[in-house]
Amino acid sequence: MVSKLKLIGLMALRHGPLSLITLAVAGVVWAGIPIEWSPEVMEVNRYIIQKEGAVQGEIHQQLAGITGQDGKQRLKAVYELARNAVVGLGQEVVGRMSMEVVFDPETFDLYARTDNFSAGDETGQVKYTRTPSGVQVHSDSEAQGIPRESEDWSFSYDVSGPLIDQTILVYYIRSLPLEAGHTFSISTVNPGREGVEHLKGQVRDLRTIVWNGIQVEAYPIDTATAEGVTTYFVLPDAHHTLVRYASVNGDVYELRLPEEKPAAGQ
């Protein structure tokens, strides 16, 4: 039986938190995201989650450069997510989850990940560690302050090349060349269930959209699975800013502009 904690995790980012992606594109030239690496916080973004026009939650996203024990440069993406959820016997709560993902800045290969969950009277932590063939998982949780027995399991995948965590798919999308007609293909696997999900994508023609009340030009990037299409809108600026994405299940993630700081003396 799947615990309520795991269900909360799957609910919080339906297409993300317990998913991994393996890139299966022949002849790909890895370029990494268009942000210069530095050993500090490199960018901070905040996305509002909406469905049918109603705000359902938000994601606070931070990207920083770190140096591994082997001396290699890596990236650490940190997400703080708060989202409306229904648990137990229809109880409505705000589900909260934080995710920390360490990955290679060029290939997006996963090194490690830690998830922390909280919803209602349940809290927990799940740690993922990359192995040569897949991922080792360790889970701790408690309900009403009473610890449950820890769980350990692993997932193996017959793949070659990088293993990419679904939560950093947004960075992979931003690494794509912004050229109308460019196509790509990847295969996705979800450790929470068996099977492989294949995903194909294409960069569409530059389009004018309204974002934060102003008109901007963005490249729509469609990714299609058997369940439907998710569309990402990326600006043709130096950092390939992702301003919006609309998921298969109808969720819309909208980037908010940084809040203005008051002038001195105000």
Side-chain angles (χ1 to χ4, degrees):
M1 179 179 294
V2 179
S3 70
K4 187 193 301 183
L5 181 64
K6 291 180 182 176
L7 290 175
I8 291 168
L10 290 170
M11 166 281 302
L13 266 180
R14 187 69 183 178
H15 62 292
L18 298 179
S19 297
L20 300 172
I21 285 186
T22 58
L23 295 196
V25 187
V28 169
V29 177
W30 295 104
I33 61 173
I35 299 177
E36 184 177 355
W37 186 93
S38 75
E40 56 190 20
V41 175
M42 296 156 58
E43 69 173 20
V44 176
N45 294 317
R46 185 169 68 97
Y47 290 89
I48 299 298
I49 309 170
Q50 301 179 73
K51 191 162 190 174
E52 298 178 350
V55 175
Q56 300 294 314
E58 67 175 67
I59 299 175
H60 185 273
Q61 174 185 315
Q62 178 177 290
L63 185 69
I66 63 173
T67 302
Q69 294 181 351
D70 55 5
K72 293 183 178 180
Q73 295 178 350
R74 296 175 181 171
L75 291 175
K76 180 173 70 173
V78 178
Y79 302 84
E80 299 286 342
L81 181 147
R83 171 146 196 179
N84 298 338
V86 177
V87 299
L89 299 175
Q91 178 187 8
E92 293 187 4
V93 300
V94 176
R96 299 185 184 277
M97 177 167 58
S98 67
M99 297 164 280
E100 181 179 293
V101 186
V102 179
F103 62 102
D104 185 282
E106 294 296 325
T107 66
F108 304 93
D109 196 11
L110 172 69
Y111 287 101
R113 170 175 165 167
T114 301
D115 293 354
N116 290 282
F117 303 98
S118 174
D121 60 4
E122 295 202 27
T123 60
Q125 183 181 84
V126 182
K127 292 185 177 181
Y128 305 85
T129 304
R130 179 69 192 276
T131 68
S133 61
V135 178
Q136 179 69 37
V137 189
H138 177 81
S139 174
D140 291 298
S141 64
E142 62 179 47
Q144 298 182 346
I146 302 174
R148 294 191 177 97
E149 184 175 353
S150 297
E151 296 181 76
D152 290 277
W153 65 97
S154 63
F155 298 94
S156 297
Y157 304 105
D158 184 15
V159 297
S160 60
L163 191 64
I164 299 183
D165 190 293
Q166 175 69 37
T167 56
I168 60 171
L169 176 60
V170 291
Y171 295 113
Y172 170 71
I173 292 294
R174 290 171 58 188
S175 78
L176 294 170
L178 297 181
E179 302 170 355
H182 176 81
T183 60
F184 55 97
S185 177
I186 57 180
S187 297
T188 68
V189 292
N190 186 338
R193 63 188 182 201
E194 295 183 5
V196 176
E197 185 175 51
H198 301 287
L199 180 154
K200 292 186 177 182
Q202 183 171 4
V203 180
R204 303 297 186 181
D205 291 328
L206 197 64
R207 183 191 307 174
T208 300
I209 64 171
V210 176
W211 170 59
N212 277 297
I214 59 175
Q215 288 189 339
V216 298
E217 290 191 326
Y219 281 95
I221 300 177
D222 290 335
T223 59
T225 67
E227 296 179 351
V229 176
T230 295
T231 301
Y232 302 81
F233 293 88
V234 178
L235 300 184
D237 59 5
H239 290 170
H240 290 195
T241 303
L242 174 62
V243 295
R244 178 186 304 150
Y245 55 105
S247 69
V248 173
N249 61 8
D251 289 340
V252 177
Y253 298 75
E254 184 92 3
L255 178 67
R256 291 306 193 215
L257 291 171
E259 295 181 2
E260 294 184 1
K261 296 182 180 179
Q266 293 187 356

Short mmCIF file of all heavy atoms in Angstrom, two decimals, residues 32 36 62 64 79 95 99 101 107 115-116 122-123 139 155 160 168 189 194 199 217 242 248:
data_model
loop_
_atom_site.label_atom_id
_atom_site.label_comp_id
_atom_site.label_asym_id
_atom_site.label_seq_id
_atom_site.Cartn_x
_atom_site.Cartn_y
_atom_site.Cartn_z
N GLY A 32 24.23 22.79 -21.53
CA GLY A 32 23.89 23.30 -20.21
C GLY A 32 22.99 24.51 -20.31
O GLY A 32 22.73 25.04 -21.38
N GLU A 36 26.03 31.52 -16.47
CA GLU A 36 27.42 31.26 -16.10
C GLU A 36 27.49 30.72 -14.67
O GLU A 36 26.91 31.29 -13.75
CB GLU A 36 28.24 32.54 -16.21
CG GLU A 36 29.72 32.34 -15.94
CD GLU A 36 30.53 33.62 -16.12
OE1 GLU A 36 29.93 34.63 -16.56
OE2 GLU A 36 31.73 33.59 -15.84
N GLN A 62 15.30 28.23 -6.48
CA GLN A 62 16.62 28.85 -6.36
C GLN A 62 17.67 27.95 -6.98
O GLN A 62 17.65 26.74 -6.80
CB GLN A 62 16.95 29.09 -4.89
CG GLN A 62 18.32 29.68 -4.63
CD GLN A 62 18.55 29.94 -3.15
OE1 GLN A 62 17.94 30.84 -2.57
NE2 GLN A 62 19.40 29.16 -2.52
N ALA A 64 21.88 27.43 -7.40
CA ALA A 64 23.18 27.84 -6.89
C ALA A 64 24.26 26.92 -7.42
O ALA A 64 24.01 25.76 -7.76
CB ALA A 64 23.18 27.82 -5.36
N TYR A 79 13.77 23.89 -4.33
CA TYR A 79 12.38 24.28 -4.55
C TYR A 79 11.64 24.26 -3.22
O TYR A 79 11.78 23.32 -2.43
CB TYR A 79 11.67 23.30 -5.49
CG TYR A 79 12.30 23.13 -6.85
CD1 TYR A 79 13.36 22.24 -7.03
CD2 TYR A 79 11.82 23.83 -7.95
CE1 TYR A 79 13.94 22.06 -8.28
CE2 TYR A 79 12.40 23.66 -9.20
CZ TYR A 79 13.45 22.78 -9.35
OH TYR A 79 14.03 22.61 -10.59
N GLY A 95 -0.50 21.44 1.37
CA GLY A 95 0.63 20.52 1.33
C GLY A 95 1.90 21.29 1.04
O GLY A 95 1.92 22.16 0.17
N MET A 99 12.43 20.57 -2.05
CA MET A 99 13.25 19.65 -2.84
C MET A 99 14.60 20.27 -3.08
O MET A 99 14.69 21.46 -3.41
CB MET A 99 12.56 19.34 -4.17
CG MET A 99 11.23 18.63 -4.04
SD MET A 99 10.27 18.69 -5.58
CE MET A 99 9.57 20.34 -5.46
N VAL A 101 18.00 19.36 -5.32
CA VAL A 101 18.52 18.46 -6.35
C VAL A 101 19.89 18.93 -6.78
O VAL A 101 20.07 20.08 -7.18
CB VAL A 101 17.58 18.42 -7.58
CG1 VAL A 101 18.06 17.37 -8.57
CG2 VAL A 101 16.15 18.14 -7.16
N THR A 107 25.46 18.10 -18.38
CA THR A 107 24.66 16.95 -18.83
C THR A 107 23.35 16.81 -18.09
O THR A 107 22.50 16.02 -18.48
CB THR A 107 25.45 15.65 -18.65
OG1 THR A 107 25.64 15.42 -17.25
CG2 THR A 107 26.79 15.72 -19.34
N ASP A 115 13.99 15.30 -0.55
CA ASP A 115 12.64 15.86 -0.50
C ASP A 115 12.16 15.87 0.95
O ASP A 115 12.35 14.90 1.69
CB ASP A 115 11.66 15.01 -1.31
CG ASP A 115 11.93 15.06 -2.80
OD1 ASP A 115 12.81 15.84 -3.22
OD2 ASP A 115 11.27 14.32 -3.54
N ASN A 116 11.51 16.96 1.35
CA ASN A 116 10.86 17.04 2.65
C ASN A 116 9.39 17.36 2.43
O ASN A 116 9.06 18.29 1.68
CB ASN A 116 11.50 18.12 3.52
CG ASN A 116 12.90 17.74 3.97
OD1 ASN A 116 13.07 16.96 4.89
ND2 ASN A 116 13.90 18.29 3.30
N GLU A 122 1.17 14.83 8.96
CA GLU A 122 2.25 13.98 8.47
C GLU A 122 3.43 14.80 7.97
O GLU A 122 3.25 15.83 7.31
CB GLU A 122 1.76 13.07 7.34
CG GLU A 122 0.72 12.06 7.79
CD GLU A 122 0.65 10.88 6.84
OE1 GLU A 122 1.66 10.59 6.19
OE2 GLU A 122 -0.42 10.26 6.77
N THR A 123 4.63 14.35 8.29
CA THR A 123 5.85 14.94 7.76
C THR A 123 6.80 13.81 7.36
O THR A 123 6.64 12.67 7.82
CB THR A 123 6.57 15.83 8.80
OG1 THR A 123 6.91 15.03 9.94
CG2 THR A 123 5.68 16.98 9.24
N SER A 139 13.66 6.58 3.01
CA SER A 139 12.51 7.37 3.40
C SER A 139 12.28 7.30 4.90
O SER A 139 12.30 6.22 5.50
CB SER A 139 11.26 6.87 2.66
OG SER A 139 10.10 7.53 3.12
N PHE A 155 15.87 1.65 -7.45
CA PHE A 155 15.34 1.51 -8.79
C PHE A 155 16.51 1.40 -9.75
O PHE A 155 17.46 2.18 -9.68
CB PHE A 155 14.47 2.70 -9.17
CG PHE A 155 13.24 2.86 -8.31
CD1 PHE A 155 13.28 3.70 -7.21
CD2 PHE A 155 12.08 2.17 -8.60
CE1 PHE A 155 12.15 3.84 -6.41
CE2 PHE A 155 10.97 2.31 -7.80
CZ PHE A 155 11.00 3.14 -6.70
N SER A 160 21.67 4.30 -20.96
CA SER A 160 23.02 4.82 -21.17
C SER A 160 22.94 6.34 -21.15
O SER A 160 21.96 6.92 -21.59
CB SER A 160 23.59 4.33 -22.51
OG SER A 160 22.77 4.77 -23.58
N ILE A 168 14.19 19.05 -12.64
CA ILE A 168 15.07 19.98 -13.34
C ILE A 168 14.83 19.95 -14.85
O ILE A 168 15.63 20.48 -15.61
CB ILE A 168 16.56 19.72 -13.01
CG1 ILE A 168 16.98 18.30 -13.41
CG2 ILE A 168 16.83 19.99 -11.54
CD1 ILE A 168 18.48 18.08 -13.30
N VAL A 189 11.03 7.98 -16.84
CA VAL A 189 10.68 6.90 -15.93
C VAL A 189 10.29 7.50 -14.60
O VAL A 189 10.84 8.52 -14.18
CB VAL A 189 11.83 5.90 -15.75
CG1 VAL A 189 12.08 5.12 -17.03
CG2 VAL A 189 13.10 6.59 -15.29
N GLU A 194 6.01 1.50 -12.27
CA GLU A 194 6.81 0.82 -13.29
C GLU A 194 6.53 1.41 -14.67
O GLU A 194 5.50 2.01 -14.91
CB GLU A 194 6.49 -0.68 -13.29
CG GLU A 194 6.89 -1.40 -12.00
CD GLU A 194 6.63 -2.88 -12.08
OE1 GLU A 194 6.22 -3.35 -13.15
OE2 GLU A 194 6.81 -3.56 -11.05
N LEU A 199 8.64 10.84 -24.36
CA LEU A 199 8.26 12.24 -24.53
C LEU A 199 8.98 12.80 -25.74
O LEU A 199 10.17 12.59 -25.91
CB LEU A 199 8.63 13.01 -23.26
CG LEU A 199 8.35 14.51 -23.16
CD1 LEU A 199 8.19 14.90 -21.69
CD2 LEU A 199 9.46 15.33 -23.79
N GLU A 217 7.52 38.61 -26.41
CA GLU A 217 7.67 37.55 -27.40
C GLU A 217 8.38 36.36 -26.75
O GLU A 217 9.41 36.53 -26.08
CB GLU A 217 8.47 38.05 -28.61
CG GLU A 217 7.71 39.05 -29.46
CD GLU A 217 8.41 39.31 -30.78
OE1 GLU A 217 9.66 39.30 -30.80
OE2 GLU A 217 7.72 39.50 -31.80
N LEU A 242 12.22 31.22 -18.42
CA LEU A 242 10.96 30.48 -18.55
C LEU A 242 9.88 31.26 -17.81
O LEU A 242 9.89 31.34 -16.58
CB LEU A 242 11.11 29.08 -17.96
CG LEU A 242 9.85 28.21 -17.89
CD1 LEU A 242 9.30 27.94 -19.28
CD2 LEU A 242 10.15 26.90 -17.17
N VAL A 248 -0.12 19.13 -18.53
CA VAL A 248 -1.16 18.28 -19.10
C VAL A 248 -2.44 18.32 -18.28
O VAL A 248 -3.56 18.30 -18.82
CB VAL A 248 -0.65 16.82 -19.19
CG1 VAL A 248 -1.76 15.88 -19.62
CG2 VAL A 248 0.52 16.74 -20.16
#
